[in-house]
Amino acid sequence: MNLTIKDVRVIVSCPGRNFVTVKIVTESGIYGVGDATVNGREMAVATYLQEHVAPCLIGRNAHEIEDIWQYLYKGVYWRKGPINMASISAVDMALWDIKGKAADLPVYELLGGKSRRGVSVYVHATGETVDDTLDRAEALRGQGFSAIRLQTSVPGLAGSYGTLGDKKDYFELQSDRPLPPETPWSTRKYMNSIEELFSKARDRFGTDIQLLHDVHSRLTPIEAARLGKMLEPYDLLFLEDAVAAENQDSYRIIRDHTTTPLAIGEIYNTIWDCKEMIQNQWIDYIRCAATHAGGITNLRRIADFAAHFHVRIAPHGAPDLSVICFAAQAHVGIWAPNFGIQEFVGFGNETSNLVFSHDMSIENGMIHVSDRPGLGVDFNEEAAKDYPYNRSYLPVSRLEDGTLWSW
Ligand code: EZ4
Ligand code: CO
């Protein structure tokens, strides 16, 4: 079987949301697909792949996943960075897909086989009011989900993080405006309202259900410490992104004050971004995504490193990651001995399913991973042509006096 790479195609499409997809084709006809989407900066990755990465791959043996990974990481000289790492990630996923197809085995078998029956997920309940949010959570419970992230608009701050606004679902573009939308933030209003959401949730659902919350990096370390203490009685599975952590030491401050479990990692690109917080056991879950943290090869390395420090993986599962990323994470998740939980907002909508096809299914809050060779996801290039790229930005956040804040 001749697995020499003969073509590397980079396709940017918008079947609901923008996705950057890589398709690597070998002489044998076997091809693989990967996800390189960096939400709001898609064309930067596409150009990087097309202009700088693709030429280096033509003629290479697709089996040499590790050497190609090292070549694109060390060989670039500049290392790290979201654009570079998303490009490496997509190439890596596509090569694992090819290796699986060539071996006639699903990727999880190549990683070491299944460690569990399925991949447990948590879903999102978001609403404009506490009651609205809890009604949605109840509906999700009815569908068999038992781990639910709760987000409610902060009273007096329309469109605060986590709510959908006028969107039907997560798979619609979050911004169809010419420039980033601006949303307001007030830590005082948030801190004064957040406890009610969780106390009412426990009153209504009891202690069987697992609850989560995403702070989206809005707090300082000492504020996050106070929030963690405030939410301790409600027994969260984890509190996500309490603080933006370019400075990993911030998590030591939170950890010193609260037993609420902590999670972070969706914007991290390498193990270097989270090394100190993992080895010092300041966090409980590392949330790196296959698309942003170096593909299957590097997600596996992060998982293995974290396992030594009681840190479990809980990969990012946002709608701006394509189903290819989701499948890659499902293969890692069903294998990783220290898998924790997978974020899940659905496999897409009618439009995105025309472009990405897969046979994963969900039952009782657990994903059944595809047994097809490779990743088990396909990308329909013809269908993608009907959905051209549509520039879209993530929102920015400002304090009520106009100061730019973390979104
Ligand atoms: O805001 O993926 O946990 N999920 C999240 C996401 C992120 C987006 C950014 O592109 O925080 O909704
Ligand atoms: Co998040």
Side-chain angles (χ1 to χ4, degrees):
M1 198 180 299
N2 183 352
L3 289 188
T4 305
I5 296 172
K6 73 166 184 191
D7 194 11
V8 178
R9 293 210 274 281
V10 183
I11 303 102
V12 187
S13 62
C14 186
R17 307 193 59 139
N18 290 311
F19 296 111
V20 182
T21 306
V22 171
K23 184 168 177 177
I24 298 182
V25 187
T26 65
E27 294 287 353
S28 66
I30 292 179
Y31 63 87
V33 292
D35 179 34
T37 309
V38 175
N39 193 7
R41 293 294 186 269
E42 297 83 0
M43 299 312 277
V45 202
T47 306
Y48 185 94
L49 276 160
Q50 193 77 64
E51 175 65 22
H52 305 294
V53 174
C56 304
L57 298 178
I58 307 297
R60 293 290 316 258
N61 177 358
H63 264 319
E64 293 173 2
I65 298 177
E66 188 63 53
D67 188 65
I68 290 173
W69 198 100
Q70 299 294 338
Y71 186 89
L72 294 176
Y73 183 80
K74 294 180 181 160
V76 70
Y77 182 68
W78 307 103
R79 303 194 185 200
K80 306 200 284 184
I83 306 301
N84 179 39
M85 293 307 291
S87 305
I88 296 176
S89 301
V91 169
D92 184 80
M93 281 179 221
L95 296 179
W96 279 99
D97 194 21
I98 290 170
K99 196 184 277 294
K101 288 174 180 172
D104 201 25
L105 288 170
V107 167
Y108 66 76
E109 295 291 11
L110 306 179
L111 292 172
K114 286 188 186 183
S115 298
R116 53 191 59 79
R117 283 180 289 114
V119 170
S120 296
V121 301
Y122 71 91
V123 289
H124 293 190
T126 66
E128 295 301 326
T129 64
V130 168
D131 287 340
D132 186 22
T133 307
L134 297 183
D135 288 348
R136 287 173 201 227
E138 181 142 0
L140 289 163
R141 275 211 335 157
Q143 293 166 33
F145 294 106
S146 56
I148 307 181
R149 188 189 89 163
L150 303 178
Q151 308 289 140
T152 299
S153 271
V154 177
L157 298 178
S160 6
Y161 168 71
T163 53
L164 284 171
D166 57 359
K167 304 291 173 192
K168 280 199 306 295
D169 63 47
Y170 288 104
F171 295 93
E172 278 192 69
L173 273 190
Q174 294 301 288
S175 158
D176 42 17
R177 299 175 218 187
L179 290 172
E182 304 209 347
T183 61
W185 181 254
S186 156
T187 296
R188 173 161 291 274
K189 286 179 177 159
Y190 169 73
M191 293 294 253
N192 285 341
S193 64
I194 188 67
E195 188 174 0
E196 184 195 351
L197 175 63
F198 286 90
S199 69
K200 283 195 168 163
R202 283 291 174 218
D203 286 348
R204 189 155 155 184
F205 302 125
T207 51
D208 282 350
I209 182 173
Q210 291 185 311
L211 300 176
L212 305 92
H213 181 63
D214 188 349
V215 185
H216 233 251
S217 308
R218 305 291 171 86
L219 301 179
T220 65
I222 204 68
E223 289 165 352
R226 184 173 150 241
L227 176 66
K229 284 171 87 163
M230 190 196 288
L231 297 180
E232 271 172 25
Y234 313 108
D235 184 24
L236 266 59
L237 181 68
F238 61 66
L239 185 65
E240 172 180 337
D241 287 353
V243 173
E246 285 96 339
N247 179 357
Q248 297 182 41
D249 223 34
S250 298
Y251 274 72
R252 178 184 53 78
I253 298 174
I254 312 173
R255 195 63 149 185
D256 278 349
H257 293 282
T258 179
T259 58
T260 292
L262 304 171
I264 188 168
E266 66 186 45
I267 70 164
Y268 292 162
N269 309 121
T270 72
I271 202 157
W272 304 108
D273 298 325
C274 45
K275 178 176 157 286
E276 278 89 43
M277 51 174 65
I278 291 174
Q279 72 190 14
N280 287 301
Q281 304 180 50
W282 294 332
I283 60 168
D284 300 277
Y285 294 87
I286 183 69
R287 296 192 11 86
C288 294
T291 296
H292 300 131
I296 290 169
T297 295
N298 212 42
L299 193 57
R300 178 181 62 176
R301 271 200 264 276
I302 293 170
D304 275 339
F305 178 67
H308 297 88
F309 304 98
H310 304 284
V311 175
R312 289 185 275 177
I313 61 165
H316 192 203
D320 45 89
L321 299 158
S322 85
V323 174
I324 303 170
C325 170
F326 202 83
Q329 293 179 171
H331 285 276
V332 174
I334 204 157
W335 154 76
N338 57 328
F339 170 76
I341 198 159
Q342 171 64 56
E343 185 178 24
F344 179 68
V345 295
F347 291 118
N349 64 10
E350 254 173 53
T351 318
S352 65
N353 289 333
L354 296 171
V355 174
F356 300 97
S357 55
H358 66 90
D359 67 353
M360 285 179 282
S361 60
I362 187 125
E363 203 184 323
N364 290 323
M366 208 184 241
I367 293 168
H368 293 281
V369 182
S370 177
D371 293 321
R372 286 187 348 211
L375 292 174
V377 184
D378 211 351
F379 173 69
N380 186 333
E381 265 185 276
E382 278 310 305
K385 287 183 184 150
D386 293 338
Y387 304 100
Y389 166 71
N390 183 355
R391 184 167 59 227
S392 166
Y393 292 100
L394 279 158
V396 298
S397 185
R398 289 187 189 276
L399 301 184
E400 289 166 297
D401 72 356
T403 306
L404 197 91
W405 206 243
S406 300
W407 180 75

Short mmCIF file of all heavy atoms in Angstrom, two decimals, residues 46-85:
data_model
loop_
_atom_site.label_atom_id
_atom_site.label_comp_id
_atom_site.label_asym_id
_atom_site.label_seq_id
_atom_site.Cartn_x
_atom_site.Cartn_y
_atom_site.Cartn_z
N ALA A 46 -5.86 28.79 7.53
CA ALA A 46 -5.97 28.23 6.18
C ALA A 46 -4.76 28.66 5.34
O ALA A 46 -4.17 27.83 4.63
CB ALA A 46 -7.28 28.69 5.52
N THR A 47 -4.38 29.92 5.44
CA THR A 47 -3.23 30.41 4.67
C THR A 47 -1.95 29.75 5.14
O THR A 47 -1.10 29.35 4.33
CB THR A 47 -3.10 31.95 4.83
OG1 THR A 47 -4.36 32.54 4.49
CG2 THR A 47 -2.01 32.52 3.95
N TYR A 48 -1.80 29.65 6.44
CA TYR A 48 -0.61 29.02 7.02
C TYR A 48 -0.46 27.59 6.49
O TYR A 48 0.64 27.18 6.07
CB TYR A 48 -0.75 29.02 8.55
CG TYR A 48 0.45 28.51 9.30
CD1 TYR A 48 1.43 29.39 9.77
CD2 TYR A 48 0.61 27.16 9.57
CE1 TYR A 48 2.53 28.92 10.46
CE2 TYR A 48 1.70 26.68 10.26
CZ TYR A 48 2.67 27.57 10.71
OH TYR A 48 3.75 27.11 11.40
N LEU A 49 -1.57 26.86 6.49
CA LEU A 49 -1.54 25.47 6.02
C LEU A 49 -1.21 25.40 4.52
O LEU A 49 -0.34 24.64 4.10
CB LEU A 49 -2.91 24.82 6.26
CG LEU A 49 -3.14 24.25 7.66
CD1 LEU A 49 -4.63 24.09 7.93
CD2 LEU A 49 -2.43 22.91 7.82
N GLN A 50 -1.93 26.19 3.78
CA GLN A 50 -1.80 26.15 2.32
C GLN A 50 -0.41 26.57 1.87
O GLN A 50 0.24 25.89 1.08
CB GLN A 50 -2.84 27.14 1.73
CG GLN A 50 -3.05 26.99 0.26
CD GLN A 50 -3.93 25.79 -0.04
OE1 GLN A 50 -5.09 25.77 0.35
NE2 GLN A 50 -3.37 24.80 -0.70
N GLU A 51 0.04 27.69 2.40
CA GLU A 51 1.28 28.30 1.91
C GLU A 51 2.53 27.66 2.54
O GLU A 51 3.53 27.50 1.86
CB GLU A 51 1.23 29.81 2.21
CG GLU A 51 2.49 30.58 1.87
CD GLU A 51 2.80 30.59 0.38
OE1 GLU A 51 1.88 30.40 -0.44
OE2 GLU A 51 4.00 30.80 0.03
N HIS A 52 2.46 27.33 3.82
CA HIS A 52 3.68 26.92 4.52
C HIS A 52 3.76 25.45 4.90
O HIS A 52 4.84 24.91 5.02
CB HIS A 52 3.83 27.77 5.79
CG HIS A 52 3.82 29.25 5.52
ND1 HIS A 52 4.80 29.88 4.81
CD2 HIS A 52 2.91 30.21 5.84
CE1 HIS A 52 4.53 31.17 4.71
NE2 HIS A 52 3.38 31.39 5.32
N VAL A 53 2.62 24.80 5.10
CA VAL A 53 2.65 23.41 5.58
C VAL A 53 2.50 22.42 4.42
O VAL A 53 3.30 21.47 4.29
CB VAL A 53 1.55 23.17 6.65
CG1 VAL A 53 1.49 21.70 7.04
CG2 VAL A 53 1.82 24.05 7.87
N ALA A 54 1.49 22.64 3.59
CA ALA A 54 1.19 21.66 2.52
C ALA A 54 2.43 21.30 1.68
O ALA A 54 2.68 20.11 1.44
CB ALA A 54 0.05 22.18 1.65
N PRO A 55 3.23 22.27 1.24
CA PRO A 55 4.38 21.92 0.38
C PRO A 55 5.36 20.96 1.07
O PRO A 55 6.01 20.16 0.39
CB PRO A 55 5.06 23.27 0.10
CG PRO A 55 3.99 24.29 0.32
CD PRO A 55 3.11 23.74 1.41
N CYS A 56 5.47 21.04 2.40
CA CYS A 56 6.40 20.16 3.13
C CYS A 56 5.89 18.73 3.24
O CYS A 56 6.64 17.82 3.62
CB CYS A 56 6.63 20.67 4.55
SG CYS A 56 7.22 22.34 4.64
N LEU A 57 4.61 18.54 2.98
CA LEU A 57 4.02 17.21 3.20
C LEU A 57 4.00 16.35 1.93
O LEU A 57 4.00 15.12 2.01
CB LEU A 57 2.60 17.34 3.74
CG LEU A 57 2.45 18.05 5.09
CD1 LEU A 57 0.98 18.14 5.48
CD2 LEU A 57 3.23 17.31 6.18
N ILE A 58 3.97 17.00 0.80
CA ILE A 58 3.90 16.26 -0.47
C ILE A 58 5.13 15.35 -0.60
O ILE A 58 6.26 15.80 -0.40
CB ILE A 58 3.84 17.22 -1.69
CG1 ILE A 58 2.70 18.24 -1.52
CG2 ILE A 58 3.71 16.44 -3.00
CD1 ILE A 58 1.31 17.68 -1.46
N GLY A 59 4.87 14.07 -0.86
CA GLY A 59 5.97 13.12 -1.03
C GLY A 59 6.37 12.41 0.26
O GLY A 59 7.15 11.46 0.24
N ARG A 60 5.85 12.89 1.41
CA ARG A 60 6.17 12.23 2.68
C ARG A 60 5.34 10.95 2.85
O ARG A 60 4.25 10.83 2.32
CB ARG A 60 5.85 13.17 3.86
CG ARG A 60 6.73 14.42 3.98
CD ARG A 60 8.16 14.11 4.39
NE ARG A 60 8.25 13.14 5.46
CZ ARG A 60 8.48 13.45 6.75
NH1 ARG A 60 8.69 14.70 7.11
NH2 ARG A 60 8.54 12.52 7.68
N ASN A 61 5.85 10.03 3.68
CA ASN A 61 5.12 8.80 4.01
C ASN A 61 4.11 9.12 5.11
O ASN A 61 4.50 9.49 6.22
CB ASN A 61 6.13 7.74 4.47
CG ASN A 61 5.46 6.44 4.89
OD1 ASN A 61 4.23 6.33 4.88
ND2 ASN A 61 6.28 5.47 5.27
N ALA A 62 2.83 8.95 4.81
CA ALA A 62 1.77 9.30 5.77
C ALA A 62 1.84 8.49 7.06
O ALA A 62 1.26 8.87 8.08
CB ALA A 62 0.39 9.13 5.13
N HIS A 63 2.53 7.36 7.04
CA HIS A 63 2.67 6.56 8.27
C HIS A 63 3.51 7.25 9.34
O HIS A 63 3.41 6.95 10.52
CB HIS A 63 3.33 5.21 7.94
CG HIS A 63 2.32 4.12 7.72
ND1 HIS A 63 1.20 3.97 8.51
CD2 HIS A 63 2.28 3.12 6.81
CE1 HIS A 63 0.50 2.92 8.10
NE2 HIS A 63 1.13 2.39 7.06
N GLU A 64 4.39 8.19 8.91
CA GLU A 64 5.35 8.77 9.85
C GLU A 64 4.76 9.94 10.64
O GLU A 64 5.23 11.09 10.55
CB GLU A 64 6.62 9.16 9.09
CG GLU A 64 7.34 7.93 8.55
CD GLU A 64 8.51 8.25 7.64
OE1 GLU A 64 8.82 9.44 7.44
OE2 GLU A 64 9.10 7.29 7.12
N ILE A 65 3.74 9.64 11.41
CA ILE A 65 3.01 10.67 12.14
C ILE A 65 3.93 11.44 13.09
O ILE A 65 3.92 12.67 13.14
CB ILE A 65 1.85 10.05 12.96
CG1 ILE A 65 0.84 9.36 12.02
CG2 ILE A 65 1.15 11.11 13.81
CD1 ILE A 65 -0.29 8.66 12.75
N GLU A 66 4.73 10.71 13.84
CA GLU A 66 5.57 11.36 14.86
C GLU A 66 6.61 12.28 14.21
O GLU A 66 6.80 13.42 14.64
CB GLU A 66 6.25 10.30 15.74
CG GLU A 66 6.98 10.88 16.94
CD GLU A 66 6.04 11.59 17.92
OE1 GLU A 66 5.05 11.00 18.35
OE2 GLU A 66 6.33 12.76 18.26
N ASP A 67 7.26 11.79 13.19
CA ASP A 67 8.30 12.61 12.57
C ASP A 67 7.70 13.86 11.91
O ASP A 67 8.28 14.95 11.98
CB ASP A 67 9.10 11.80 11.54
CG ASP A 67 10.30 12.61 11.05
OD1 ASP A 67 11.20 12.88 11.88
OD2 ASP A 67 10.32 13.01 9.87
N ILE A 68 6.51 13.69 11.32
CA ILE A 68 5.87 14.85 10.70
C ILE A 68 5.45 15.85 11.78
O ILE A 68 5.61 17.06 11.62
CB ILE A 68 4.67 14.41 9.81
CG1 ILE A 68 5.21 13.67 8.57
CG2 ILE A 68 3.80 15.60 9.41
CD1 ILE A 68 4.16 13.04 7.69
N TRP A 69 4.98 15.35 12.90
CA TRP A 69 4.61 16.24 14.03
C TRP A 69 5.84 17.04 14.48
O TRP A 69 5.80 18.27 14.61
CB TRP A 69 4.06 15.40 15.19
CG TRP A 69 3.27 16.20 16.20
CD1 TRP A 69 1.91 16.29 16.27
CD2 TRP A 69 3.79 17.02 17.26
NE1 TRP A 69 1.56 17.12 17.31
CE2 TRP A 69 2.68 17.58 17.93
CE3 TRP A 69 5.07 17.33 17.71
CZ2 TRP A 69 2.80 18.44 19.03
CZ3 TRP A 69 5.19 18.21 18.80
CH2 TRP A 69 4.07 18.75 19.45
N GLN A 70 6.95 16.34 14.70
CA GLN A 70 8.16 17.00 15.16
C GLN A 70 8.68 18.00 14.12
O GLN A 70 9.16 19.08 14.46
CB GLN A 70 9.27 15.97 15.48
CG GLN A 70 8.91 14.97 16.57
CD GLN A 70 8.76 15.60 17.95
OE1 GLN A 70 9.29 16.67 18.22
NE2 GLN A 70 8.01 14.94 18.82
N TYR A 71 8.57 17.60 12.86
CA TYR A 71 9.03 18.45 11.77
C TYR A 71 8.26 19.77 11.75
O TYR A 71 8.84 20.86 11.59
CB TYR A 71 8.84 17.70 10.45
CG TYR A 71 9.40 18.38 9.23
CD1 TYR A 71 10.71 18.18 8.82
CD2 TYR A 71 8.59 19.23 8.46
CE1 TYR A 71 11.22 18.80 7.69
CE2 TYR A 71 9.09 19.85 7.33
CZ TYR A 71 10.41 19.63 6.95
OH TYR A 71 10.90 20.26 5.83
N LEU A 72 6.94 19.68 11.95
CA LEU A 72 6.11 20.89 11.90
C LEU A 72 6.21 21.69 13.20
O LEU A 72 5.91 22.88 13.22
CB LEU A 72 4.65 20.52 11.61
CG LEU A 72 4.40 19.91 10.23
CD1 LEU A 72 2.93 19.49 10.10
CD2 LEU A 72 4.77 20.88 9.10
N TYR A 73 6.63 21.04 14.30
CA TYR A 73 6.74 21.75 15.59
C TYR A 73 8.14 22.35 15.76
O TYR A 73 8.32 23.56 15.84
CB TYR A 73 6.40 20.80 16.75
CG TYR A 73 6.43 21.50 18.09
CD1 TYR A 73 5.35 22.28 18.50
CD2 TYR A 73 7.53 21.40 18.93
CE1 TYR A 73 5.37 22.94 19.72
CE2 TYR A 73 7.55 22.06 20.16
CZ TYR A 73 6.48 22.83 20.54
OH TYR A 73 6.51 23.49 21.74
N LYS A 74 9.16 21.47 15.76
CA LYS A 74 10.53 21.97 15.95
C LYS A 74 11.03 22.66 14.70
O LYS A 74 11.77 23.65 14.77
CB LYS A 74 11.46 20.82 16.31
CG LYS A 74 11.16 20.19 17.65
CD LYS A 74 12.10 19.04 17.97
CE LYS A 74 11.75 18.44 19.31
NZ LYS A 74 12.28 17.07 19.47
N GLY A 75 10.63 22.12 13.55
CA GLY A 75 11.15 22.62 12.28
C GLY A 75 10.68 24.02 11.94
O GLY A 75 11.28 24.68 11.10
N VAL A 76 9.61 24.47 12.59
CA VAL A 76 9.08 25.79 12.24
C VAL A 76 9.91 26.91 12.87
O VAL A 76 9.80 28.07 12.50
CB VAL A 76 7.60 25.90 12.67
CG1 VAL A 76 7.48 25.95 14.19
CG2 VAL A 76 6.92 27.11 12.09
N TYR A 77 10.75 26.54 13.86
CA TYR A 77 11.57 27.48 14.63
C TYR A 77 10.72 28.27 15.63
O TYR A 77 11.06 28.38 16.79
CB TYR A 77 12.36 28.43 13.74
CG TYR A 77 13.25 29.36 14.54
CD1 TYR A 77 14.35 28.86 15.23
CD2 TYR A 77 12.98 30.72 14.63
CE1 TYR A 77 15.15 29.69 15.99
CE2 TYR A 77 13.78 31.56 15.38
CZ TYR A 77 14.86 31.05 16.05
OH TYR A 77 15.66 31.87 16.81
N TRP A 78 9.59 28.84 15.22
CA TRP A 78 8.81 29.72 16.11
C TRP A 78 8.03 28.95 17.17
O TRP A 78 7.70 29.48 18.20
CB TRP A 78 7.86 30.60 15.27
CG TRP A 78 8.61 31.31 14.20
CD1 TRP A 78 8.66 31.00 12.87
CD2 TRP A 78 9.52 32.41 14.38
NE1 TRP A 78 9.51 31.85 12.21
CE2 TRP A 78 10.05 32.72 13.12
CE3 TRP A 78 9.92 33.18 15.48
CZ2 TRP A 78 10.96 33.75 12.91
CZ3 TRP A 78 10.82 34.20 15.29
CH2 TRP A 78 11.33 34.48 14.02
N ARG A 79 7.73 27.71 16.92
CA ARG A 79 7.02 26.82 17.86
C ARG A 79 5.72 27.41 18.41
O ARG A 79 5.42 28.55 18.27
CB ARG A 79 7.92 26.44 19.05
CG ARG A 79 9.21 25.78 18.63
CD ARG A 79 9.90 25.12 19.79
NE ARG A 79 11.20 24.60 19.31
CZ ARG A 79 11.89 23.66 19.93
NH1 ARG A 79 11.44 23.11 21.03
NH2 ARG A 79 13.02 23.24 19.43
N LYS A 80 4.97 26.57 19.07
CA LYS A 80 3.74 26.92 19.79
C LYS A 80 2.81 27.86 18.98
O LYS A 80 2.87 27.90 17.78
CB LYS A 80 4.07 27.53 21.16
CG LYS A 80 4.99 26.61 21.98
CD LYS A 80 4.96 26.92 23.45
CE LYS A 80 5.74 28.16 23.81
NZ LYS A 80 5.77 28.38 25.27
N GLY A 81 1.95 28.59 19.68
CA GLY A 81 1.06 29.53 19.02
C GLY A 81 -0.18 28.85 18.44
O GLY A 81 -0.09 27.75 17.90
N PRO A 82 -1.35 29.49 18.56
CA PRO A 82 -2.61 28.85 18.14
C PRO A 82 -2.69 28.53 16.64
O PRO A 82 -3.26 27.51 16.26
CB PRO A 82 -3.69 29.86 18.54
CG PRO A 82 -2.98 31.13 18.84
CD PRO A 82 -1.57 30.78 19.20
N ILE A 83 -2.13 29.40 15.79
CA ILE A 83 -2.27 29.17 14.34
C ILE A 83 -1.39 27.98 13.93
O ILE A 83 -1.84 27.04 13.25
CB ILE A 83 -1.89 30.44 13.55
CG1 ILE A 83 -2.71 31.65 14.04
CG2 ILE A 83 -2.05 30.23 12.05
CD1 ILE A 83 -4.21 31.53 13.94
N ASN A 84 -0.15 28.03 14.38
CA ASN A 84 0.78 26.92 14.10
C ASN A 84 0.24 25.61 14.66
O ASN A 84 0.21 24.58 13.96
CB ASN A 84 2.13 27.28 14.74
CG ASN A 84 3.18 26.21 14.57
OD1 ASN A 84 3.28 25.61 13.52
ND2 ASN A 84 3.97 25.98 15.60
N MET A 85 -0.21 25.63 15.91
CA MET A 85 -0.63 24.38 16.55
C MET A 85 -1.92 23.83 15.95
O MET A 85 -2.09 22.61 15.85
CB MET A 85 -0.75 24.56 18.07
CG MET A 85 0.57 24.81 18.78
SD MET A 85 1.88 23.60 18.44
CE MET A 85 1.22 22.15 19.27
#
